[in-house]
Amino acid sequence: DAKTTQPPSMDCAEGRAANLPCNHSTISGNEYVYWYRQIHSQGPQYIIHGLKNNETNEMASLIITEDRKSSTLILPHATLRDTAVYYCIVRVLESGGSYIPTFGRGTSLIVHP
Amino acid sequence: GAVVSQHPSWVICKSGTSVKIECRSLDFQATTMFWYRQFPKQSLMLMATSNEGSKATYEQGVEKDKFLINHASLTLSTLTVTSAHPEDSSFYICSARKSTEAFFGQGTRLTVV
């Protein structure tokens, strides 16, 4: 069963904010929300992660709803180089180091001029 | 930082030959690495988990005799595609685990002609 649901594709105008949603209605209390992106013909790149508080870094902001059943990744000023597939993943932070990264289909974001 | 490097970035080989792809963790030691395959417009599919000093664990449906994985050191894992065929043409990505996180290589584009 998929733990996250994302729209297959979105588009955004350059310079505008890109808001990418993710539903994770079955998320457990100890699971974090992670976001990666994959630019065409490159490996996945970590963007941001959070547990329940909103997070911001130099790449993006992550807004997690109070019930934690959904989240939104915000690219505040999208550029053409942000065109990529964005993956939302929920996972625990295993202290024993047993994490195996797995990916769903993600959202293909196209930023147009 | 945590940098994972793959080599080569792309390779073209003749049908029936073997191709080796290297995955190196440049600034950390990785007891566990992962190998993925990605076909056009599809998500990353985990092929195998590579553990230093032991046999790799292959996902269901992945032929271990065709996709040979060697993880002989804490910074290097190799994937050898043996007797390659055109249907093996794909984008191969490795990932190395550091503590609770995973870091990805830039991928290798394999084309079998």
Side-chain angles (χ1 to χ4, degrees):
Chain A
D1 291 334
K3 301 189 75 173
T4 64
T5 304
Q6 298 177 254
S9 64
M10 294 183 66
D11 70 282
C12 171
E14 188 178 21
R16 305 297 294 269
N19 299 292
L20 294 99
C22 180
N23 286 323
H24 31 79
S25 58
T26 60
I27 191 170
S28 301
N30 61 345
E31 287 183 312
Y32 286 71
V33 180
Y34 272 68
W35 284 83
Y36 291 83
R37 74 178 181 184
Q38 185 181 22
I39 295 170
H40 182 65
S41 292
Q42 295 185 24
Q45 175 190 22
Y46 165 82
I47 301 173
I48 198 168
H49 76 279
L51 182 62
K52 52 185 175 181
N53 297 323
N54 297 337
E55 302 287 344
T56 296
N57 62 20
E58 65 278 5
M59 291 183 68
S61 294
L62 174 60
I63 307 298
I64 302 174
T65 58
E66 193 168 339
D67 63 7
R68 303 209 322 123
K69 293 185 177 181
S70 65
S71 61
T72 301
L73 179 75
I74 301 173
L75 308 178
H77 305 287
T79 71
L80 299 179
R81 287 176 292 181
D82 292 321
T83 292
V85 178
Y86 287 78
Y87 297 99
C88 170
I89 297 170
V90 295
R91 56 162 292 212
V92 295
L93 294 183
E94 303 90 343
S95 59
S98 59
Y99 173 51
I100 300 176
T102 55
F103 295 84
R105 300 190 68 86
T107 295
S108 176
L109 174 68
I110 296 176
V111 181
H112 54 83
Chain B
V3 180
V4 176
S5 178
Q6 270 182 254
H7 179 80
S9 296
W10 59 271
V11 58
I12 301 172
C13 72
K14 291 185 177 180
S15 186
T17 63
S18 296
V19 175
K20 180 184 286 188
I21 302 170
E22 295 185 346
C23 178
R24 295 181 184 274
S25 55
L26 297 186
D27 51 0
F28 66 101
Q29 293 183 330
T31 56
T32 303
M33 293 185 177
F34 308 98
W35 287 96
Y36 298 82
R37 180 169 52 181
Q38 185 176 34
F39 292 109
K41 298 191 182 300
Q42 295 187 22
S43 189
L44 289 80
M45 296 300 297
L46 180 67
M47 299 175 66
T49 300
S50 166
N51 295 296
E52 187 268 337
S54 64
K55 291 183 179 180
T57 302
Y58 289 82
E59 296 298 302
Q60 191 173 11
V62 177
E63 301 175 58
K64 61 180 181 181
D65 295 329
K66 180 169 182 63
F67 298 99
L68 301 179
I69 292 172
N70 184 285
H71 193 160
S73 80
L74 288 172
T75 59
L76 175 63
S77 176
T78 61
L79 169 68
T80 301
V81 183
T82 63
S83 186
H85 291 285
E87 56 265 32
D88 298 323
S89 298
S90 189
F91 192 55
Y92 292 85
I93 302 167
C94 74
S95 173
R97 188 164 65 203
K98 178 184 179 183
S99 184
T100 60
E101 305 302 334
F103 300 90
F104 293 85
Q106 70 270 39
T108 298
R109 175 76 58 192
L110 170 63
T111 303
V112 184
V113 298

